[in-house]
Amino acid sequence: MALKQDMDKSAAIICAEAAVPDPRTPAAQAYVLPPVRTHGGLLLIDALRLRHSTREYDSRSLPVRLLSELLWAAFGINRPATGERTAPFWRHVMVIDIYVAMADGVWIYAPERHELLSYLDTDIRATTGLQEFVGEAPVELIYVAHGDRMPDVLAEDRRLFASVDSAFIGQNVYLFCASEGLGTVFRGAFDQKKLAEALKLDDKQFVTFVQTVGRPKAWINPELYR
Ligand SMILES: Cc1cc2nc3c(=O)[nH]c(=O)nc-3n(C[C@H](O)[C@H](O)[C@H](O)COP(=O)(O)O)c2cc1C
């Protein structure tokens, strides 16, 4: 998805100054994602039957609609009155932000207005892992934990709680991908230091896991799983 090209044509471009978590730029650009369907997809039981990890990807980008629904499924707001999310999270603190690495740069998912905030202009996908397919798939979801949002928690517990939060998000992504015929894999194999540098994280921020998303090279016939 060439989001920046789409953005040039889109009336949805706005400037957001306040909503950027840990902004590295004074006023980030924001891209409002298209609305999410309120029904559809596979039955949960079928999505569970189809859930699996994929390690061979087609490099084609995802349509914006799919990206929008993927992010909402991952950690979007499912109860607008209270701002609660599709995944449970530790002590009601938003410890995790999803950084979305694509060919046109890195974006931060901001669920409040269901938008992507421009963060970096560089393609860092290849830095998000150690396996061959990393960098080929169009989307890498990077789960970034903000230690400063857990001030009274020991360092080792920070990683534990942030990892559990990420795992719930990861399973949402697995089920959404199963429902949409997309491939995904939740990944712990990456170079922490290199990735933190590429993402310009500060010493209180850390990556818990990364999750690759894209079209699988080989389509899986749902009938095989029945
Ligand atoms: C904590 C965790 C870390 C993982 N790290 C990687 C990884 O770095 N690379 C990878 O290819 N798969 C990784 N996986 C995916 C597992 O290998 C995969 O889920 C497992 O082999 C079962 O296969 P399935 O997901 O197809 O059922 C990870 C899974 C978990 C839960």
Side-chain angles (χ1 to χ4, degrees):
M1 186 191 61
L3 200 50
K4 289 223 171 93
Q5 280 165 18
D6 291 354
M7 284 171 66
D8 292 340
K9 293 177 234 138
S10 168
I13 302 173
I14 56 167
C15 276
E17 287 173 345
V20 190
D22 303 301
R24 292 293 185 275
T25 49
Q29 264 189 324
Y31 179 82
V32 180
L33 291 161
V36 173
R37 280 173 300 174
T38 51
H39 61 276
L42 289 185
L43 288 175
L44 176 61
I45 204 78
D46 289 328
L48 284 165
R49 231 177 242 125
L50 286 168
R51 189 216 63 82
H52 67 283
S53 297
T54 296
R55 295 182 184 84
E56 282 188 71
Y57 291 90
D58 183 312
S59 61
R60 274 178 302 158
S61 60
L62 297 187
V64 180
R65 180 193 67 76
L66 261 187
L67 181 70
S68 168
E69 294 185 348
L70 166 74
L71 292 168
W72 179 81
F75 205 30
I77 291 175
N78 67 356
R79 285 153 288 170
T82 55
E84 305 289 356
R85 306 290 186 92
T86 55
F89 51 98
W90 174 82
R91 237 205 244 171
H92 225 238
V93 176
M94 303 292 173
V95 168
I96 299 290
D97 283 318
I98 303 181
Y99 288 42
V100 186
M102 298 187 285
D104 60 0
V106 181
W107 302 76
I108 298 174
Y109 177 50
E112 293 74 18
R113 286 192 289 179
H114 194 54
E115 59 194 18
L116 282 175
L117 306 175
S118 176
Y119 179 64
L120 294 175
D121 277 339
T122 41
D123 180 359
I124 64 146
R125 288 173 299 164
T127 322
T128 68
L130 308 171
Q131 292 159 278
E132 257 180 35
F133 61 84
V134 173
E136 279 171 18
V139 175
E140 295 291 351
L141 303 177
I142 306 169
Y143 303 133
V144 176
H146 298 265
D148 56 344
R149 300 181 196 167
M150 315 169 98
D152 55 343
V153 176
L154 294 175
E156 59 266 32
D157 289 338
R158 284 183 186 177
R159 190 163 281 280
L160 172 69
F161 298 139
S163 295
V164 174
D165 282 10
S166 306
F168 278 112
I169 296 170
Q171 180 71 346
N172 282 355
V173 170
Y174 264 114
L175 291 175
F176 177 79
C177 288
S179 177
E180 294 299 317
L182 293 173
T184 188
V185 59
F186 189 80
R187 297 190 289 102
F190 57 88
D191 184 324
Q192 279 279 351
K193 196 163 168 271
K194 248 193 188 168
L195 185 52
E197 276 168 16
L199 284 172
K200 304 187 191 311
L201 300 184
D202 67 32
D203 58 1
K204 295 227 170 58
Q205 299 170 315
F206 57 94
V207 176
T208 55
F209 291 93
V210 182
Q211 190 157 6
T212 307
V213 179
R215 291 185 178 83
K217 262 199 179 137
W219 180 69
I220 296 212
N221 181 354
E223 294 302 323
L224 294 177
Y225 285 77
R226 289 188 190 277

